[in-house]
Amino acid sequence: MEQKETVCSVAKKCGGCRYQGVSYQEQLRRKQRITEGFLKKFGKVEPIIGMEDPYYYRNKVHAAFGRDRKGNVISGIYEEKSHRIVSVDDCMIEDKKSQEIIRTIRGMLKSFKIKTYDEDTGYGLLRHVLVRRGFSTGEIMVVLVTVSPIFPSKNNFVKALRKEHPEITTVVLNVNDRQTSMVLGDRNIVLYGPGFIKDRLMGLTFRISPSSFYQVNPVQTEVLYGKAMEFAAMTGKERVIDAYCGTGTIGIIASGNARDVIGVELNRDAIRDARMNARENKIRNVRFVPGDAGWFMEGMAAEGEKVEVVLMDPPRSGSDRKFLHSLLTLSPEKIVYVSCNPETLARDLACLTKRDYLVKKMQPVDMFPLTDSVEVVCLLENRRTRPGRS
């Protein structure tokens, strides 16, 4: 008999975990059906890879701070489609230690006379707290998001916080004084430690700053990227493009089996982090280029350059037609497409398979248990260049 899933007390208000009350086996079955519904027309969808322990897996925990109707300080998650804070003490998918730190901060505010920010009146100081933990290294970063760079008794606050949680390795004050739904502002002031943490993934070290993109489920990320490398099946002779490279994680992992890797990304801050990560791991066969990956690939094609493998991990909206046209123009031997949305993946596969590509493998991975999200790694091979073509 399958075990019934424990239901979070604020599940209906929060809206984050749509599979509350559903056994994990049933969650996986539903995600398999959803994935097959979109992708089975392209071939066999392998059985989804789930987690051994599908709880408390998020290494990045964000809490909004405010007050309830009685004036009590609360912290938690915004109610779905609103800016009303749902008070959360124990989220079933967020790292336990990070949640403990947030509860400690909430309890410290009164004695330090720190007011929470009120969006309606514009009064108050503390907006959010973000905690990031390296599951492999144990390093912890606390980010205090405030509307002002002036934080009363900041040294004593940090000292008191670290007395309760000595495992905290850095504390950063992030200033966000804009009327925006974005959590983080542009300015960081380091209050303690180096201002970043490090974590290890697939034997490599990655530097994580307050705004760095880093997969929030490191256990399943190793599964996801491991499948991507298995599908790419590189021999050490390949030239690789890592499109939408972000902070360079997958491109750096691929570099160990490639001749050289070029990562392309529009976000210049992400490119800076990617270059830092390459230096951290003493990798010299990777370079990171700021710009549009589609234009970059078209430029390579125009110069007659060849690429054997393109790795791509686009946002939920998938790739646009211009990018796919550029990909078809460059015509790599293999495309390894990592998708967080089977619906937009199906749309993009329809475009690629109308031309030169065949879908060879599709592997769903459960990156976000208790939610309705699912990731898929897909391998496409070029009909014109694949081995054995007569």
Side-chain angles (χ1 to χ4, degrees), residues 250-270:
I250 196 166
I252 289 170
I253 290 167
S255 68
N257 296 314
R259 187 186 80 198
D260 61 272
V261 177
I262 306 167
V264 191
E265 166 66 49
L266 276 171
N267 187 313
R268 287 183 174 270
D269 289 340

Side-chain angles (χ1 to χ4, degrees), residues 180-191:
T180 174
S181 59
M182 299 290 287
V183 173
L184 296 176
D186 297 327
R187 184 181 176 192
N188 290 313
I189 303 166
V190 178
L191 302 182

